[in-house]
């Protein structure tokens, strides 16, 4: 089994990473603020720190600001 996929596909698995993004496992269809639809598979990280340059997704920038949350 791929660890990036949810254990039970009927359950949405959400992980709040310590001092990092919100990770959601599974196949996602996301409507961006622009209205564009983006699809993601596996684990997708959503920015919680506010500094990502690819919001709503995490780009790892939280490490540069030593985000706590
Ligand atoms: S949580 Fe990773 S860039 Fe914001």
């Amino acid at each position: 089994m791929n660890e990036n996929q949810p254990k039970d596909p009927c359950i949405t698995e959400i992980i709040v990473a310590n001092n990092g993004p919100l990770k959601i496992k599974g196949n996602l269809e996301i409507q961006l603020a622009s209205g564009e639809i983006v699809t993601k598979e596996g684990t997708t990280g959503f920015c919680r720190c506010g500094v990502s340059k690819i919001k709503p997704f995490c780009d790892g920038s939280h490490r540069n600001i030593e985000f706590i949350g």
Side-chain angles (χ1 to χ4, degrees):
M1 173 182 244
N2 182 339
E3 69 181 35
N4 287 324
Q5 293 295 327
K7 295 176 195 107
D8 180 341
C10 294
I11 296 175
T12 302
E13 199 172 325
I14 301 173
I15 301 163
V16 181
N18 191 31
N19 305 326
L22 192 67
K23 296 178 178 179
I24 300 179
K25 292 186 178 185
N27 300 326
L28 307 177
E29 184 177 280
I30 305 146
Q31 181 175 347
L32 304 180
S34 65
E36 178 187 0
I37 302 291
V38 175
T39 58
K40 296 282 189 178
E41 296 178 354
T43 301
T44 303
F46 290 86
C47 179
R48 290 197 305 131
C49 75
V51 298
S52 172
K53 291 179 176 53
I54 57 167
K55 289 183 198 84
F57 307 107
C58 172
D59 68 358
S61 294
H62 59 271
R63 294 185 199 97
N64 300 334
I65 63 163
E66 299 179 12
F67 172 65
I68 297 173

